[in-house]
Amino acid sequence: METSRRDSLKVLAGAGMAMALSNTLAAATAQADPAPADTKPPAYRGTNEIKPLPFDAAKLKGISEKLITSHHQNNYSGAVKRLNQIQQQIGALAKDAPPFQLGALKREELIATNSMMLHDLYFANLGGPTATPDGTIANLIKAEYGSLETWESEFRTTGQALGGGSGWVVLNYNPRNGAVHTYWSGEHTQNLAWGTPLLVMDMYEHAYQMDYGADAKSYINAFFQNINWVEANRRAEGVHAPGKA
């Protein structure tokens, strides 16, 4: 009986130690594992969504369905996914991480964010039903450039200047003087401070190489055949107060 009782006590003691060890490991694991994404502040969740193409990819003029879908699925979607990963990495940084680690991630965050947003705007201002600008945006262009032809010539030539490299051509609304202006951007981080993009043309080679090789000029011609001026005008009306054009 005594031997049996001692054996039982040993079993119970062993079970208690095992349970205590299990609880300790569970607590340590809970501290080591990062919090689920949905419990983190929004800045660190990385939940940016990929927007679908707002037009039928097979119906663009001079820009193939293969090119535009590749552009959307690889370059644009890749930027959104990269941004989500970067934001999650920032949220997972240790509190005592050296500042240069955060600095490097913040630089990449800005690049990925602007890439996502500029691509959103670029795709949205394609596939339009109208061939020429009208309404508020046309009035703004004429007020700044004298004529639509003068503006278009500068916009096209700015794009050609970026051919063979990378960057964007952006018709921006400048709230400082209530006017539009075409700006050159050599990369994703060069943008007009506080400006609102009204028309965006992607001049990275991935936007045209599959169809036109190094012939950036022909791509620009195709871009102008597909501008959604209704969307561009909607943007202009959203930022420009009536009576200022």
Side-chain angles (χ1 to χ4, degrees):
M1 291 288 293
E2 186 64 28
T3 300
S4 178
R5 191 175 349 180
R6 284 201 301 269
D7 290 344
S8 296
L9 289 173
K10 287 180 181 180
V11 170
L12 289 173
M17 292 178 63
M19 183 175 294
L21 179 59
S22 176
N23 290 337
T24 301
L25 289 173
T29 301
Q31 292 177 358
D33 288 344
D38 58 359
T39 66
K40 293 183 178 181
Y44 306 133
R45 291 178 189 171
T47 55
N48 299 285
E49 296 183 353
I50 298 167
K51 295 182 178 181
L53 284 171
F55 51 81
D56 186 342
K59 292 184 177 180
L60 293 183
K61 302 173 184 176
I63 299 177
S64 69
E65 180 179 6
K66 181 179 180 181
L67 169 61
I68 206 72
T69 53
S70 174
H71 190 172
H72 181 272
Q73 293 174 3
N74 295 300
N75 305 98
Y76 163 63
S77 298
V80 178
K81 293 174 183 177
R82 186 168 71 252
L83 174 60
N84 288 339
Q85 292 173 346
I86 292 167
Q87 290 178 340
Q88 292 169 7
Q89 288 173 349
I90 291 173
L93 278 178
K95 292 182 179 180
D96 59 350
F100 75 84
Q101 288 186 359
L102 177 59
L105 286 169
K106 294 301 286 184
R107 178 182 183 277
E108 293 302 316
E109 181 186 35
L110 178 61
I111 292 172
T113 300
N114 279 348
S115 179
M116 175 183 69
M117 295 180 70
L118 286 166
H119 275 102
D120 282 342
L121 292 163
Y122 171 72
F123 291 126
N125 62 215
L126 286 178
T130 54
T132 58
D134 194 13
T136 300
I137 193 164
N139 293 335
L140 287 168
I141 291 173
K142 291 174 184 176
E144 181 72 359
Y145 286 92
S147 70
L148 294 174
E149 292 75 19
T150 299
W151 164 78
E152 182 175 327
S153 176
E154 182 186 295
F155 194 95
R156 285 174 174 269
T157 304
T158 303
Q160 291 180 48
L162 286 164
S166 58
W168 303 84
V169 184
V170 182
L171 177 65
N172 257 303
Y173 180 78
N174 186 336
R176 190 176 189 276
N177 56 7
V180 297
H181 200 82
T182 296
Y183 291 92
W184 171 100
S185 173
E187 57 179 49
H188 297 112
T189 57
Q190 298 170 349
N191 291 286
L192 176 67
W194 203 25
T196 301
L198 305 182
L199 181 67
V200 174
M201 180 168 67
D202 191 344
M203 285 307 302
Y204 278 79
E205 283 191 309
H206 62 243
Y208 61 89
Q209 192 277 335
M210 192 182 294
D211 284 349
Y212 294 104
D215 186 2
K217 185 176 181 179
S218 291
Y219 158 70
I220 294 169
N221 290 338
F223 173 82
F224 267 85
Q225 293 180 59
N226 292 283
I227 293 175
N228 185 342
W229 285 112
V230 172
E231 170 62 16
N233 189 59
R234 184 193 66 78
R235 296 171 188 172
E237 290 177 342
V239 295
H240 185 73
K244 288 189 176 181

